[in-house]
Amino acid sequence: MTLLEKVKANLILEHSADDGLLQLYITAAVRYAESYQHLTENFYADNPMPPTTEQAVIMLSSHFYESRDGSTGGFFADNVQAGQQVWNTVNLLLRLDRDWKV
């Protein structure tokens, strides 16, 4: 299953009208993961992505999609801390696979 398919499953999205947009969000989330983890750009194009990093990418891509109108979006839209919680969770997941070089 591709990352696009996994993000669409996470969003419960069955149409393909937004596939191009989703792919842009996935690319941005992967680049964020690589940067946060101190990896070179396109690292995950040539190397397997650990499950924790993949989950972070899926969550962040979904958040970008659900928040594209500027709101927090998603299930927790009524919670003012929802957007920040997404980032906290994504960063915690990415930290597990981070290259801690100084």
Side-chain angles (χ1 to χ4, degrees), residues 17-102:
D18 290 338
D19 284 6
L21 181 62
L22 286 171
Q23 194 56 60
L24 291 173
Y25 294 148
I26 292 167
T27 298
V30 170
R31 295 295 174 269
Y32 177 79
E34 290 167 339
S35 175
Y36 189 92
Q37 294 175 333
H38 303 144
L39 303 171
T40 58
E41 188 172 327
N42 295 316
F43 178 85
Y44 288 122
D46 301 321
N47 297 282
M49 186 178 289
T52 48
T53 296
E54 184 177 88
Q55 182 59 38
V57 167
I58 291 167
M59 289 177 68
L60 191 53
S61 302
S62 297
H63 174 66
F64 289 159
Y65 182 79
E66 291 181 329
S67 303
R68 64 192 178 280
D69 65 351
S71 69
T72 56
F75 184 76
F76 298 104
D78 62 337
N79 180 340
V80 296
Q81 298 298 322
Q84 186 59 51
Q85 187 57 48
V86 170
W87 285 99
N88 291 345
T89 303
V90 164
N91 288 340
L92 284 171
L93 287 167
L94 292 176
R95 229 175 265 147
L96 296 172
D97 300 311
R98 192 175 199 176
D99 183 356
W100 290 93
K101 63 185 166 200
V102 183

